[in-house]
Amino acid sequence: MEKEKYYISTAIAYTSGKPHIGNTYEIILADAIARYKRALGYDVYFQTGTDEHGEKIELKAKEAGITPQEYVDKVASDIKRIWDKMNTSYDRFVRTTDPKHEKQVQKIFKKMYDKGDIYKGEYKGLYCTPCESFWTESQLVDGKCPDCGREVKIASEEAYFFKLSKYQDRLVEYIESHPDFIQPESRKNEMLNNFIKPGLQDLCVSRTSFTWGIPVDFDSKHVVYVWLDALTNYITNIGFDVDNPTDEFKKYWPADLHLIGKDIIRFHTIYWPCFLWSLDVDLPKQVFGHPWLLTNNDKIGKSRGNAIYADDLADLFGVDAVRYYVLHEIPFANDGNLTYDLLIERYNSDLANILGNLVNRTISMAKKYFNGIVPSIGVKEDIDADLINTVTSAITKTTEDMNNLRVADAIDSVFEIFRRSNKYIDETTPWTLAKEENTERLQTVIYNLLEAIRIGAVLLHSFLPETAEKIFAQLNTDLTDFSSIETFGKLESGKELNDPSPLFVRIDKEAFLKELSQ
Ligand code: ME8
């Protein structure tokens, strides 16, 4: 049977500078979802990449004394390096300076123009250069850009406009009749009430004030507005063509999920649907605007001097510790907070204590009591059923959470298995059973613990792949896919375990922070 497809994308990151941990959170979140869907049996296509045009980048390159292309090549490779370092399993890393994308954007612009959805006019407005956005007077906050708080300038230029207004009623109707299109729900109301219903103005989709962009091919002093260029990445890179879309496009589009940050929901749920309708293309099934990661409860910003980078954190704590922290600490709809202090606390309590100790203790006991051979089930007691129930319901709950994009809840559901297993050790006290030479009972206890750990690791793999693989290696098992966890008890008795080695070594917080501040 052909697998059901699942197309997930992240935003494409600006190549204005190195991405901070907030930007990196997004690719890790997408990765956990993509891996989980693959584990469930979907044919996943996972796309990410970089957004490389615009005035800001042109200025940055000038400051650096290099060409914009040299500048974006450097930053894009840094972004890709970080995505790779964080062990993200994207299928394609796309760049908006790819000539194939550029060609398609020109064709798209022309098609919209020929259709009458793009027309030539004059633009006068308040423009925020860093955000590449025009604003109306009423959208400003204290006279400044509502997104970044910086000065805006009056800008006027001959420009092409896209007829957003034409699609306003259709957009309201669509959003209201597709309650899952914008997630979380609160964002949907914000879009409808604050942006769409008050009235959509036609959107300026070309610029003449700088040159680092895709030229409008029939009027080359104009470059295409960076958001029209950027948003179309989702279709151009899977083979969209205005005349002749490829089979890949027909297979994967519409995307199942555009995963983006809450600050760019507006672009994805207003401009993007209207652009797609103009091209007679279906809309993506869902746009999820994830919350932000803050540091010390403050927005992370390159210019604020408080940027923390994922690769630095990974060097200090390990890739999976960083993945765990960001996935666990940012709930579905509320911002999460990151400090070294909090990260070390989570690391010690969840990774070193709950998970690391459990695996280490269990394998060590199996070594000690059974020479490292997985025992078979002996005598059962009621308490076993409770452990097994917890494991079974955690599997169901994790999948439910993932289907609802509640990734922080899902990882917590997986940890429920590890917490319950630790409790099971306290309840059954295997060392007493050993002392009493109650081998039959001890066999069951150790078997159940090993199997609970294996099942936990199968689920954990989407979130902390490297850790899960280390656990599989210690358990010496090939039973690592979802079909192996349909029932409790598949771990093969008689197999020899490998030697235990600590997964996460406890960190001495005070000493660590002291050293860091020096
Ligand atoms: O917005 N916490 O690129 P970008 C979590 N090029 N997520 C954050 C964040 C934070 N502190 N700060 C930013 C762009 N993000 C455009 C996208 S898509 C067609 C074009 C998220 O590099 C942000 O919301 O500024 C966005 O989803 C992603 O990081 C890349 O941001």
Side-chain angles (χ1 to χ4, degrees):
M1 207 180 72
E2 207 178 318
K3 286 179 172 183
E4 199 180 327
K5 68 91 187 171
Y6 186 80
Y7 173 8
I8 177 173
S9 65
T10 66
I12 47 173
Y14 281 130
T15 46
S16 50
K18 181 174 170 176
H20 53 64
I21 182 69
N23 308 128
T24 314
Y25 159 62
E26 183 170 305
I27 185 81
I28 298 173
L29 182 67
D31 183 58
I33 298 168
R35 285 179 184 271
Y36 206 87
K37 286 283 178 189
R38 278 191 208 108
L40 285 172
Y42 285 82
D43 169 6
V44 171
Y45 173 69
F46 173 14
Q47 181 174 295
T48 187
T50 42
D51 185 358
E52 308 192 351
H53 292 120
E55 189 173 12
K56 187 174 171 187
I57 289 167
E58 190 176 270
L59 292 173
K60 285 261 181 186
K62 211 170 170 190
E63 273 169 33
I66 52 178
T67 65
Q69 188 64 54
E70 285 167 339
Y71 188 86
V72 297
D73 283 350
K74 196 166 148 302
V75 181
S77 75
D78 211 25
I79 293 175
K80 190 166 180 297
R81 178 184 62 77
I82 295 177
W83 279 198
D84 290 339
K85 178 158 184 150
M86 299 318 292
N87 205 0
T88 57
S89 62
Y90 56 83
D91 295 295
R92 201 170 284 161
F93 188 97
V94 306
R95 301 180 54 185
T96 54
T97 52
D98 179 340
K100 283 199 255 70
H101 168 79
E102 293 184 337
K103 181 87 213 125
Q104 286 305 328
V105 171
Q106 289 180 322
K107 287 177 89 171
I108 285 169
F109 196 96
K110 181 75 168 46
K111 164 134 190 201
M112 291 170 167
Y113 180 77
D114 289 344
K115 190 172 175 175
D117 279 354
I118 284 182
Y119 62 91
K120 200 170 192 173
E122 167 152 327
Y123 195 87
K124 255 207 201 81
L126 299 159
Y127 188 64
C128 173
T129 308
C131 296
E132 316 274 3
S133 289
F134 273 101
W135 301 100
T136 60
E137 194 75 51
S138 65
Q139 287 171 325
L140 300 183
V141 175
D142 299 329
K144 304 224 166 99
C145 170
D147 271 357
C148 73
R150 279 178 270 215
E151 296 287 342
V152 292
K153 63 180 186 193
I154 294 177
S156 159
E157 54 189 38
E158 175 195 278
Y160 287 93
F161 287 84
F162 179 88
K163 281 188 187 164
L164 270 190
S165 50
K166 171 177 159 185
Y167 295 101
Q168 168 158 347
D169 294 342
R170 188 170 171 188
L171 190 58
V172 171
E173 203 273 323
Y174 188 88
I175 294 174
E176 286 181 341
S177 61
H178 293 80
D180 292 334
F181 177 55
I182 306 179
Q183 285 293 315
E185 174 97 23
S186 56
R187 299 284 162 198
K188 173 183 119 184
N189 302 330
E190 185 189 338
M191 288 304 124
L192 278 173
N193 301 332
N194 299 4
F195 290 100
I196 308 172
K197 287 187 179 167
L200 290 179
Q201 292 178 3
D202 289 351
L203 178 71
C204 180
V205 287
S206 78
R207 300 285 187 268
T208 51
S209 53
F210 60 91
T211 55
W212 183 241
I214 302 174
V216 173
D217 56 357
F218 55 90
D219 192 352
S220 61
K221 76 172 190 291
H222 291 261
V223 294
V224 176
Y225 173 47
V226 72
W227 274 100
L228 176 53
D229 166 1
L231 286 162
T232 55
N233 93 85
Y234 300 127
I235 54 173
T236 59
N237 289 289
I238 54 163
F240 175 76
D241 180 276
V242 290
D243 306 314
N244 189 16
T246 62
D247 287 344
E248 188 187 25
F249 178 76
K250 289 180 202 149
K251 176 173 178 189
Y252 286 109
W253 192 262
D256 294 83
L257 178 64
H258 286 327
L259 186 69
I260 51 159
K262 62 181 183 178
D263 53 322
I264 56 169
I265 296 182
R266 194 163 55 93
F267 301 93
H268 284 79
T269 60
I270 301 177
Y271 301 171
W272 186 222
C274 300
F275 292 161
L276 286 168
W277 280 329
S278 179
L279 298 169
D280 296 315
V281 169
D282 289 339
L283 302 198
K285 291 186 194 153
Q286 193 166 61
V287 174
F288 177 65
H290 61 73
W292 271 345
L293 181 62
L294 312 174
T295 51
N296 291 311
N297 288 312
D298 195 14
K299 186 175 184 305
I300 310 174
K302 290 161 202 163
S303 55
R304 288 165 182 251
N306 63 348
I308 294 183
Y309 299 105
D311 52 340
D312 294 341
L313 288 176
D315 287 341
L316 289 170
F317 303 102
V319 169
D320 277 0
V322 181
R323 289 179 62 111
Y324 179 77
Y325 190 86
V326 295
L327 292 174
H328 184 261
E329 285 317 287
I330 307 178
F332 182 68
N334 301 318
D335 291 341
N337 191 26
L338 171 79
T339 62
Y340 284 102
D341 208 301
L342 288 170
L343 203 163
I344 297 170
E345 271 180 25
R346 273 275 156 252
Y347 177 104
N348 281 340
S349 67
D350 298 5
L351 298 175
N353 280 4
I354 296 174
L355 175 59
N357 273 352
L358 169 71
V359 175
N360 206 266
R361 280 160 89 194
T362 304
I363 297 195
S364 302
M365 289 192 288
K367 287 269 161 192
K368 187 166 165 195
Y369 304 137
F370 299 107
N371 288 323
I373 308 292
V374 179
S376 48
I377 294 278
V379 170
K380 295 184 186 171
E381 286 184 10
D382 287 350
I383 191 89
D384 304 342
D386 194 57
L387 171 79
I388 295 167
N389 277 343
T390 305
V391 172
T392 323
S393 25
I395 301 172
T396 317
K397 172 83 170 32
T398 307
T399 299
E400 249 171 48
D401 291 337
M402 288 306 276
N403 286 341
N404 294 324
L405 304 177
R406 295 187 174 262
V407 179
D409 291 340
I411 200 165
D412 205 52
S413 301
V414 179
F415 267 69
E416 192 50 35
I417 295 180
F418 304 133
R419 279 191 290 269
R420 183 66 189 85
S421 301
N422 278 313
K423 194 167 154 227
Y424 182 76
I425 297 182
D426 297 341
E427 289 161 345
T428 56
T429 57
W431 48 92
T432 317
L433 297 172
K435 210 185 267 164
E436 292 164 355
E437 294 181 12
N438 191 350
T439 313
E440 291 265 289
R441 177 65 193 143
L442 186 58
Q443 277 175 237
T444 309
V445 169
I446 298 298
Y447 182 88
N448 284 344
L449 284 168
L450 290 168
E451 175 64 341
I453 290 170
R454 183 189 71 84
I455 293 176
V458 171
L459 294 174
L460 191 68
H461 193 268
S462 303
F463 310 92
L464 313 184
E466 208 180 288
T467 303
E469 275 154 29
K470 283 186 192 163
I471 299 174
F472 295 143
Q474 295 188 28
L475 292 175
N476 189 21
T477 183
D478 301 322
L479 298 170
T480 58
D481 65 24
F482 275 27
S483 66
S484 75
I485 59 172
E486 277 159 9
T487 51
F488 188 98
K490 291 214 168 160
L491 181 69
E492 301 132 306
S493 306
K495 253 198 152 175
E496 185 166 2
L497 302 167
N498 285 316
D499 287 338
S501 75
L503 297 170
F504 298 96
V505 179
R506 235 190 118 72
I507 298 173
D508 178 341
K509 189 168 92 182
E510 304 308 320
F512 189 95
L513 291 177
K514 200 167 156 213
E515 196 172 319
L516 205 64
S517 67
Q518 278 165 2

